[in-house]
Amino acid sequence: MVTNDNHSLQVKALENGTVIDHIPQGVVQRVLSVLGLENCEEQIYMGANLESKKMGRKGIIKVANRFFEENEIDKIGLIAPTATVIEIRNYEIKSKTQVRIPDVVHKIVKCFNPKCITNKESVPTHFYVIDKSDLKLRCHYCEKITGRKNIEYK
Ligand SMILES: [Zn+2]
């Protein structure tokens, strides 16, 4: 269930689960989809256009009873580099992780080159991040560069 009720989002505490905070404006939906949360059975609260002292406007996602692995946190880092991932256990903050853009990106992203072997055969994509501020990924196979403009997530 996805609710957009900003009021309950702020007052309702999570017993166990994950809060993804400080998501840049406009990418909340993409974070949900890349984490496969769109079809998740757990309760999800999400909010967009929330006021943030740090960022002006931000988005937030709270998922009950879900915790994310390092490779999932890396996915969040690619899409929402300002995000913080907060793990809640028993109503208490267990850990807080500032996401980062990984050095190597495996599988998550599609190579934009239609002739690349990863688009023709069932070879998983593999990229080296050569520019983190502008997000440029060099394909291990065809060496073409997929950038923020033409990035597609798998
Ligand atoms: Zn390629």
Side-chain angles (χ1 to χ4, degrees):
M1 190 187 69
V2 175
T3 58
N4 275 313
D5 183 343
N6 288 349
H7 185 65
S8 72
L9 176 86
Q10 274 151 357
V11 288
K12 187 133 188 167
L14 207 56
E15 185 178 354
N16 288 294
T18 303
V19 178
I20 306 167
D21 198 3
H22 298 111
I23 301 172
Q25 193 59 13
V27 299
V28 170
Q29 201 64 47
R30 195 177 292 167
V31 172
L32 274 182
S33 92
V34 88
L35 292 174
L37 295 176
E38 284 165 323
N39 303 313
C40 150
E41 304 274 301
E42 301 292 347
Q43 282 201 331
I44 297 176
Y45 301 94
M46 61 175 218
N49 299 321
L50 302 174
E51 279 177 35
S52 158
K53 283 198 187 100
K54 211 159 69 174
M55 307 170 63
R57 297 273 161 178
K58 66 168 184 179
I60 192 169
I61 298 171
K62 294 188 180 188
V63 203
N65 305 315
R66 271 292 307 267
F67 302 97
F68 299 103
E69 307 279 327
E70 207 182 321
N71 70 322
E72 295 175 300
I73 291 173
D74 283 351
K75 287 187 191 179
I76 302 170
L78 280 178
I79 299 165
T82 54
T84 318
V85 177
I86 303 156
E87 231 181 84
I88 312 279
R89 309 252 183 193
N90 260 324
Y91 297 105
E92 282 179 13
I93 294 177
K94 183 91 186 162
S95 71
K96 228 175 186 177
T97 312
Q98 175 65 56
V99 302
R100 57 184 186 105
I101 296 177
D103 297 319
V104 171
V105 175
H106 192 60
K107 283 185 182 173
I108 311 167
V109 171
K110 226 169 119 44
C111 181
F112 90 103
N113 173 17
K115 292 185 179 144
C116 181
I117 186 165
T118 60
N119 287 315
K120 296 190 148 183
E121 289 169 40
S122 60
V123 177
T125 60
H126 194 81
F127 298 92
Y128 306 102
V129 179
I130 56 167
D131 186 335
K132 291 192 181 184
S133 58
D134 196 30
L135 196 60
K136 290 194 171 110
L137 311 176
R138 191 176 70 225
C139 178
H140 171 73
Y141 298 97
C142 71
E143 299 196 329
K144 294 264 188 282
I145 293 172
T146 298
R148 204 179 279 287
K149 279 190 307 255
N150 49 20
I151 199 162
E152 271 184 66
Y153 298 94
K154 296 194 165 206

